Structure formats: C-alpha cells, structure tokens
C-alpha cells in the first residue's frame, strides 16, 4: 500500500508515534484508516498489533460525509518476520511493508534491502553472489 499512499493524503501529519522500538523491526505495514480523531491512539481491529500511527495537525479537515480523518497507521500481522523469522516473509516483505526508519511526518515510507531483500534469483540476475 505504500505506493497507494499519496503525498497529498499525508501532508497534514505533524508527528509519527511509534509504540515499539522501530530499530528492531525490518519492516512495518502502512495503511490509511478512517479515524474519528486527529491524533489520539486509534483503535486497532486487524490481526496482529498496532506499531505506530500518525498525528494530524489542526489544518487537517474531516470528511464531510463521515466526519472522520484519513490517518496513517503502522502495523504487523501475526505471520510477519518479527514473529516468525523463518516464515512466509523470511526473505521478502509484504507489498505494503516499508522500512519504518524511512517514514516521517508527511513522508511515505519506502522499501529498503532491510525490509524487502532481493531474492536469490534477483541477485544472480544482477551478476552478484551471496556471501557464504
């Protein structure tokens, strides 16, 4: 989802609140949720856990239709690499996964080698070899 989040949708962010030490996480998932407030800790209804969220400034406008704000949330699911290191995402990351160290207020997070390392086939296509 990181590519689906536009700069315009996050331009009113003034702070990212991390609920966990992001230095210990290779990636987090990011999404935009419709939330009733600009800045309090949002409720969390997905599987897994909430890792962080964005706080919006006073210029952020609520939706006329719903009265809610679109805010970025960061989360992990039970099958993510931090919980199951040798599982599904052992050598890759989910499509909405980003390196949390690349996210900032108003700045979309991005994939890095830490969050989504290349596959062995991709490494060979580049003419590189894996260290032993």
């Amino acid at each position: 989802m990181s590519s689906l989040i536009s700069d315009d949708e996050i331009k009113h962010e003034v702070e990212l609140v991390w609920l966990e030490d992001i230095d210990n996480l290779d990636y987090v998932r990011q999404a935009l949720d419709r939330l009733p407030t600009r800045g309090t800790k949002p409720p969390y209804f997905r599987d897994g856990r909430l890792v962080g969220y964005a706080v919006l400034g006073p210029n952020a406008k609520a939706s006329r239709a719903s009265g809610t704000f679109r805010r970025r949330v960061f989360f992990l699911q039970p099958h993510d690499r931090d919980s199951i290191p040798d599982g599904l995402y052992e050598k890759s990351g989910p499509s909405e996964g980003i390196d949390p160290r690349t996210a900032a207020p108003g700045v979309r997070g991005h994939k890095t080698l830490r969050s989504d390392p290349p596959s062995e086939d991709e490494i060979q296509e580049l003419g590189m070899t894996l260290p032993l």
Side-chain angles (χ1 to χ4, degrees):
M1 284 191 203
S2 61
S3 61
L4 299 177
I5 296 175
S6 73
D7 292 336
D8 192 52
E9 292 174 302
I10 60 175
K11 69 182 179 185
H12 294 294
E13 292 179 348
V14 295
E15 180 184 3
L16 297 183
V17 176
W18 295 106
L19 304 171
E20 296 185 22
D21 181 0
I22 60 172
D23 289 333
N24 295 326
L25 300 173
D26 293 340
Y27 65 82
V28 296
R29 296 169 186 258
Q30 69 176 354
L32 284 172
D33 284 357
R34 290 217 168 267
L35 299 168
T37 67
R38 284 185 180 93
T40 59
K41 180 180 174 185
Y44 186 73
F45 300 106
R46 294 176 177 89
D47 286 342
R49 66 190 192 273
L50 182 68
V51 176
Y53 59 91
V55 174
L56 303 179
N59 294 334
K61 303 287 186 230
S63 164
R64 289 185 203 185
S66 66
T68 59
F69 298 89
R70 287 190 50 123
R71 286 175 47 203
R72 206 161 33 146
V73 294
F74 303 93
F75 61 100
L76 289 166
Q77 294 185 337
H79 58 277
D80 280 325
R81 191 183 311 156
D82 71 303
S83 297
I84 305 176
D86 58 349
L88 176 64
Y89 294 112
E90 175 185 13
K91 296 180 181 177
S92 66
S95 61
E96 70 272 25
I98 54 107
D99 184 334
R101 299 170 306 161
T102 65
V107 177
R108 290 177 284 151
H110 301 283
K111 291 187 180 299
T112 65
L113 290 177
R114 178 181 181 183
S115 64
D116 197 20
S119 69
E120 290 180 29
D121 290 342
E122 291 169 325
I123 290 172
Q124 289 176 352
E125 285 177 21
L126 294 171
M128 300 167 67
T129 56
L130 292 172
L132 298 176

